[in-house]
Amino acid sequence: MSGMAAAEHLSKNFGRAAAVNDVSFEIRKGEIVGFLGPNGAGKTTTMKMLTGYLPPSAGTASIAGFDIIDHPLEARRHMGYMPENVPLYDDMRVMEYLFFRSRLKGLRGNEMRRNVGDCVEQCGLDRVRRKMIRTLSKGYRQRVGLADALLGSPDLLILDEPTNGLDPNQIRQIRELIRELAAEHTVILSTHILSEVEMICNKVIIIDQGVIKANDTPFNLTRGLRTAGRLSIEFKGDLDEVMREIAALPVVRKVLHEKSTSDGWHTLMVRAEAGTDTREHAASIVTAHGFPLRHVYRHIPSLEDVFVEMTRRD
């Protein structure tokens, strides 16, 4: 397989348990990919194999065309990795740590100083550049981790839960930073914040129980979801009659009674064929009887809906 990053029949077993089972995908240059899955789905294990931190039990992976097993150094030169729990040296100052990491990555002299300076500026670390890492907030520690991943100007950034443990303001700051980085780097982003993936990513891979369940654009995934035809309607009147008539519409698959209030208002959930809009027909059924109609809403599927649909256990 070609591409900036690729996995081919990648598997990882821990004893008899298969954490990742025959996973294949390709990420092309310039893509921003959201890598999603429930806890324990195999996300972090896959990312660790892709970065060469964990050997696969079977299959292969490559970065910029370099096999992670046969050519690990070449592969890592094209990649910046930020693990879920950023390992930092607390007894170093920020600049001291970044220079140390630069030397480990083979940078020297003016190139090293210029690269560290660019990363410090890009990640908004200038005000804490002389501070000890142990004194930094979680948000700034994440920024140091990002700056570390950026050292050496890698083509590919792999970010595993970069907003893990941050407060809402810190999450927003890191999100904006990732948006800026995505303009110059191919990015693989693992996160539980699905709305952010929907805003940032142009491709989504969903893994569950070690198996790839989806690999497509957010638009294509939401367009194909069966809940695309889901409608809610709130009215006052004969519940059984309205349910029976709406259920008889050609595109309607199911009508569910969600709730009724003490003053007689009923809420129905209508499931119809994907891509259909039954609002006008459902509303006309209610109004034709002279019943009051308070609410008609067509649910637009989100990436969260796709995620739940792909990973639900019932």
Side-chain angles (χ1 to χ4, degrees), residues 233 235 238 241-249 252 268 278-291 293:
I233 182 166
F235 68 98
D238 189 323
E241 180 66 23
V242 171
M243 287 186 67
R244 184 166 51 252
E245 292 188 27
I246 292 178
L249 292 172
V252 170
L268 300 180
T278 55
R279 284 177 294 183
E280 184 178 352
H281 293 97
S284 66
I285 287 172
V286 174
T287 56
H289 288 286
F291 299 150
L293 178 65

Side-chain angles (χ1 to χ4, degrees), residues 5-6 12 27 35 46 83 86 91 98 101 105-106 135 137 140 148 199 208 211 220 244 251 255 262 279 295 300 304:
K12 183 62 180 180
I27 295 167
F35 196 60
T46 301
V86 183
D91 291 332
L98 292 176
R101 292 288 296 154
K105 296 185 180 187
T135 68
S137 68
Y140 272 112
D148 183 353
M199 286 188 288
D208 185 34
V211 177
N220 285 341
R244 184 166 51 252
V251 297
V255 180
S262 58
R279 284 177 294 183
H295 169 87
I300 305 301
E304 182 177 349

Side-chain angles (χ1 to χ4, degrees), residues 31-301:
E31 287 186 323
I32 309 163
V33 179
F35 196 60
L36 310 176
N39 289 332
K43 294 192 311 297
T44 296
T45 300
T46 301
M47 296 182 90
K48 285 183 176 179
M49 287 191 288
L50 192 62
T51 55
Y53 283 77
L54 192 64
S57 301
T60 186
S62 64
I63 302 293
F66 294 101
D67 188 282
I68 57 168
I69 301 299
D70 297 335
H71 305 284
L73 294 180
E74 292 88 341
R76 289 188 182 187
R77 287 193 185 101
H78 291 270
M79 171 191 63
Y81 175 45
M82 179 181 171
E84 182 176 358
N85 298 304
V86 183
L88 301 174
Y89 292 114
D90 285 349
D91 291 332
M92 283 186 170
R93 300 183 188 277
V94 171
M95 292 298 287
E96 181 186 7
Y97 172 77
L98 292 176
F99 279 125
F100 167 70
R101 292 288 296 154
S102 295
R103 286 190 290 271
L104 290 180
K105 296 185 180 187
L107 300 176
R108 297 291 185 272
N110 290 334
E111 181 190 14
M112 178 177 68
R113 286 186 287 274
R114 184 171 57 251
N115 192 239
V116 170
D118 289 344
C119 292
V120 165
E121 181 179 356
Q122 203 167 12
C123 294
L125 290 169
D126 194 61
R127 60 177 293 190
V128 299
R129 59 193 296 153
R130 293 184 178 85
K131 288 193 173 183
M132 301 292 287
I133 288 175
R134 67 170 176 267
T135 68
L136 300 181
S137 68
K138 183 68 184 290
Y140 272 112
R141 292 175 71 90
Q142 296 294 87
R143 287 172 179 265
V144 174
L146 273 173
D148 183 353
L150 282 167
L151 292 172
S153 304
D155 301 306
L156 173 69
L157 287 176
I158 300 179
L159 311 177
D160 192 1
E161 299 289 352
T163 57
N164 184 35
L166 303 185
D167 65 36
N169 288 328
Q170 293 169 334
I171 289 173
R172 178 176 294 183
Q173 292 165 0
I174 295 295
R175 179 184 66 204
E176 293 304 319
L177 179 54
I178 291 171
R179 271 207 185 104
E180 295 171 9
L181 297 177
E184 300 178 3
H185 304 269
T186 302
V187 178
I188 303 176
L189 174 65
S190 172
T191 179
H192 283 98
I193 306 176
L194 302 184
S195 60
E196 307 220 332
V197 172
E198 205 159 16
M199 286 188 288
I200 297 173
C201 298
N202 49 35
K203 185 175 181 180
V204 175
I205 297 173
I206 298 177
I207 187 171
D208 185 34
Q209 296 180 306
V211 177
I212 298 292
K213 294 292 185 72
N215 185 352
D216 210 334
T217 65
F219 174 79
N220 285 341
L221 289 173
T222 53
R223 183 179 62 179
L225 191 62
R226 72 184 186 199
T227 53
R230 188 157 53 101
L231 172 78
S232 66
I233 182 166
E234 187 179 16
F235 68 98
K236 183 183 286 188
D238 189 323
L239 175 64
D240 292 336
E241 180 66 23
V242 171
M243 287 186 67
R244 184 166 51 252
E245 292 188 27
I246 292 178
L249 292 172
V251 297
V252 170
R253 294 292 171 259
K254 184 178 288 188
V255 180
L256 302 172
H257 174 215
E258 286 211 317
K259 64 179 180 179
S260 294
T261 62
S262 58
D263 55 353
W265 288 96
H266 309 294
T267 301
L268 300 180
M269 182 64 68
V270 181
R271 291 191 181 275
E273 293 178 1
T276 62
D277 188 347
T278 55
R279 284 177 294 183
E280 184 178 352
H281 293 97
S284 66
I285 287 172
V286 174
T287 56
H289 288 286
F291 299 150
L293 178 65
R294 187 158 69 178
H295 169 87
V296 181
Y297 175 71
R298 180 176 181 243
H299 293 262
I300 305 301

